[in-house]
Amino acid sequence: MNFFHRPSPTNNEATTPAAAPQPNPSVEMPNPAQAPSVAPQPNPMSATMSQPSVAPTSPSVTPQPNPMSAAPVPPVAPRPVAPTPSAPTAPLGPTSGNTSVEIDYVNDPSVKTYEAENVGFINDVNFSDVYIPFDKKTFIWGAKTNCGLKLVRFADFNEFFTELEKAFDGNRSYLLNYKGRNYRVERTIALDGPQYCARKMPITVPNIRNLGLPQGIYEHLISLADGCGLILLAGATGSGKSTTVSALLKEFLQLKGGYAYTIEDPIEMPLDGVYKTPIGELGLCKQTTPPDGIWEEGIKSALRSKPRYVYLGEIRSPDIASEALRAATSGHLVISTIHANNVPDAVNSLVKYAASSGISEEMAFELVANGFLGCLHQVLEGAPKRARVTYLFANPNVDEACQVRGMIRSGKLNLATLLEQQRIKIEKKMPLF
């Protein structure tokens, strides 16, 4: 009987080089140290198959280990890693019952280090807008950069907030009168609940001379008091458009007199009242809101009252634009605001609004050209903030030729050259027309 006989290898074993039979003890054995090192391959069948035991024929020969045996591989110890200090984690808010975790921004350590500054009673603090998120913290302009905020604490905030909520009438924009001071409130619904932006309205309308407008611009604007047409104040939200328009209307009433009719939603500056001119004549201003929220009806009512000046809080729809242009081309001086990034965009927006009211685009360009008197684009810069304006004016004498009106009629609003020409004339104190 051949002791070196072994069962036939399985399919897995047939491909394994180590499946050779055991060597004969009479044959010189190779030195294992000189053999190429081959890592033993684990055989999945070796756990269930028994190998025949082979007894050595001579005590001088050490039996060779069976390379097919399922000898366990010693585990490799993991490489030690030096511990790193753990980073501080932000306090976490409540979870919603799953593995995700929401972080409450109010408890963010980077925010928590900023303590609220006690600033006194809200009516006494100098700011333009106060932001009140869902958690009732209060933020105002930080006065260091153009847009940075700071966290503050008002002594009478609870009372103010109670009145703020009581004044809500279902419209997201509404007026709050808190202890004699008007606030224009914008209420919106954010992810976490209602939030507010309350803009503090001045007790008195500022003097237009103190707004930082160039002297040449001021003088030209005042010269338009006797003219007819549309003067637009363009800019982003919070750029001081309403303040400049109100200051200009007040200057008209104080210098020239006449009847002014405003349509605002909500009413902002305290313009209502009687004004006395240098020669003893009077000016009268009446502030109104759109009847039932319909601006077009308010404008129609204003025109039936025979006003010298019509102030529209904002051109925000095609109907308002068309009615404003109709008033501007029928013998009135109309002043309004519009949201735009620059003067050409403001003129283009006015044309688009007019074209959307049911007239052709060609007719809209013609209507805007006939009614256009001037447009100023305003931004606020610095601390304290001052107005910086770019401007474009049309000839107030509609019977004379005017490049600005001609370009608007053409529909090609390439106004950069005209803007630069008028800027140079104003800076050199030259007449525009």
Side-chain angles (χ1 to χ4, degrees), residues 220-241:
H220 186 74
L221 286 172
I222 297 305
S223 72
L224 300 178
D226 297 323
C228 301
L230 174 63
I231 300 176
L232 274 180
L233 261 293
T237 301
S239 60
K241 302 185 300 294

Side-chain angles (χ1 to χ4, degrees), residues 61 81 140 190 218 225-226 243 253 355 358 370 384 395:
V61 178
V81 178
I140 63 174
Y218 167 80
D226 297 323
T243 300
L253 291 168
N370 293 339
N395 194 331

Side-chain angles (χ1 to χ4, degrees), residues 85-380:
S86 59
T89 57
L92 303 179
T95 61
S96 55
N98 53 26
T99 57
S100 63
V101 178
E102 300 174 358
I103 299 179
D104 185 357
Y105 82 94
V106 177
N107 293 325
D108 187 330
S110 63
V111 176
K112 197 172 183 180
T113 57
Y114 292 93
E115 296 295 335
E117 177 183 346
N118 293 313
V119 291
F121 294 99
I122 192 166
N123 281 353
D124 299 334
V125 180
N126 184 23
F127 67 87
S128 173
D129 299 271
V130 56
Y131 304 95
I132 310 173
F134 71 98
D135 55 7
K136 299 183 182 179
K137 293 187 182 297
T138 49
F139 300 83
I140 63 174
W141 180 47
K144 294 181 180 179
T145 63
N146 283 337
C147 57
L149 303 178
K150 65 179 179 180
L151 183 64
V152 297
R153 183 182 295 110
F154 297 110
D156 57 341
F157 173 76
N158 290 336
E159 183 180 359
F160 173 81
F161 190 80
T162 299
E163 295 298 321
L164 183 73
E165 291 188 313
K166 284 173 57 178
F168 176 58
D169 57 1
N171 296 315
R172 65 181 185 182
S173 298
Y174 61 96
L175 185 68
L176 165 67
N177 185 283
Y178 178 70
K179 296 184 177 181
R181 193 69 179 260
N182 284 340
Y183 292 82
R184 190 186 75 183
V185 182
E186 188 72 14
R187 182 182 187 271
T188 54
I189 303 299
L191 180 64
D192 300 290
Q195 62 181 13
Y196 301 86
C197 174
R199 175 165 299 176
K200 181 187 288 187
M201 296 292 104
I203 298 176
T204 60
V205 179
N207 190 317
I208 193 171
R209 293 177 178 268
N210 299 330
L211 298 182
L213 297 178
Q215 180 65 21
I217 297 297
Y218 167 80
E219 293 174 356
H220 186 74
L221 286 172
I222 297 305
S223 72
L224 300 178
D226 297 323
C228 301
L230 174 63
I231 300 176
L232 274 180
L233 261 293
T237 301
S239 60
K241 302 185 300 294
S242 299
T243 300
T244 301
V245 167
S246 299
L248 179 60
L249 181 56
K250 176 184 175 182
E251 196 79 350
F252 287 160
L253 291 168
Q254 288 179 329
L255 295 179
K256 303 291 185 178
Y259 178 45
Y261 193 109
T262 81
I263 308 170
E264 307 166 72
D265 185 22
I267 294 173
E268 298 184 9
M269 299 288 186
L271 286 166
D272 204 289
V274 178
Y275 300 81
K276 187 175 181 179
T277 69
I279 62 174
E281 291 186 332
L282 301 178
L284 174 65
C285 181
K286 300 308 295 180
Q287 294 181 275
T288 70
T289 57
D292 300 322
I294 305 174
W295 284 78
E296 310 86 80
E297 292 300 322
I299 298 173
K300 292 176 182 178
S301 179
L303 298 184
R304 288 192 288 265
S305 302
K306 197 181 177 181
R308 176 68 191 95
Y309 317 103
V310 177
Y311 168 34
L312 302 177
E314 182 184 346
I315 293 179
R316 60 176 75 172
S317 72
D319 291 333
I320 297 175
S322 60
E323 291 296 333
L325 290 169
R326 186 167 74 89
T329 54
S330 60
H332 303 87
L333 182 59
V334 181
I335 313 171
S336 188
T337 68
I338 194 168
H339 285 89
N341 291 327
N342 48 53
V343 170
D345 283 355
V347 177
N348 190 61
S349 294
L350 184 61
V351 171
K352 297 302 182 185
Y353 274 135
S356 299
S357 64
I359 62 176
S360 66
E361 189 171 86
E362 182 180 355
M363 181 61 68
F365 278 111
E366 180 70 22
L367 186 61
V368 171
N370 293 339
F372 185 80
L373 196 54
C375 177
L376 289 86
H377 179 265
Q378 177 171 299
V379 296
L380 296 180

